[in-house]
Amino acid sequence: MSAVDDARIDRVRFNADGLVPAIIQQHDTGDVLMLGWMDAEALRRTLTEGRVTFWSRSRQEYWRKGDTSGHAQYVRGARLDCDGDTLLIAVEQIGAACHTGDHTCFDADDLSPLVSFAPLDSDGDAS
């Protein structure tokens, strides 16, 4: 790993298992596609190879989205949140993002929350 890679990865606060959640988002629409987990090596591969690589907690191995399904994710950007403990990876998604074949992993189960709106101030603007 190069010093540049080390410096970028050293900024990440991995959890006790050495993992960080990575939110995957379609770069041009903003659609949230999925969430996966990365360790330092998966993040290094993602940042340097241009394809998203995850750590599978169930299989205990690396996997690159699309290698078996053809539904690949090509990196368009990567950001670290303000606490350093969550990644946002912008991608060009080819095919479905979810293993079920859905566009996103969040298409299937709407929890039907109460939808609220910000209160308006005296000028009628959201506060």
Side-chain angles (χ1 to χ4, degrees):
M1 204 170 358
S2 74
V4 172
D5 295 335
D6 286 340
R8 292 185 293 178
I9 293 169
D10 286 346
R11 293 173 17 211
V12 178
R13 288 184 35 213
F14 295 94
N15 68 18
D17 295 322
L19 301 172
V20 64
I23 300 165
I24 309 302
Q25 181 180 43
Q26 176 64 32
H27 77 99
D28 54 353
T29 65
D31 289 350
V32 175
L33 302 174
M34 60 177 286
L35 180 132
W37 293 89
M38 294 183 181
D39 66 1
E41 176 60 18
L43 178 56
R44 183 196 66 74
R45 292 180 189 187
T46 298
L47 296 175
T48 61
E49 296 175 1
R51 295 270 309 275
V52 179
T53 300
F54 298 102
W55 175 253
S56 171
R57 296 175 299 162
S58 60
R59 294 188 312 268
Q60 295 290 294
E61 65 185 16
Y62 295 103
W63 63 280
R64 194 166 69 167
K65 187 72 173 171
D67 279 354
T68 57
S69 68
H71 299 171
Q73 295 172 338
Y74 295 92
V75 177
R76 296 291 185 259
R79 302 189 68 80
L80 188 58
D81 80 336
C82 59
D83 295 322
D85 61 1
T86 304
L87 301 168
L88 177 63
I89 310 293
V91 302
E92 177 67 33
Q93 176 69 48
I94 306 301
C98 188
H99 71 280
T100 64
D102 285 334
H103 171 64
T104 85
C105 292
F106 300 100
D107 283 346
D109 195 3
D110 184 351
L111 297 176
S112 301
L114 173 67
V115 177
S116 62
F117 298 93
L120 299 179
D121 63 18
S122 60
D123 295 328
D125 296 322
S127 53

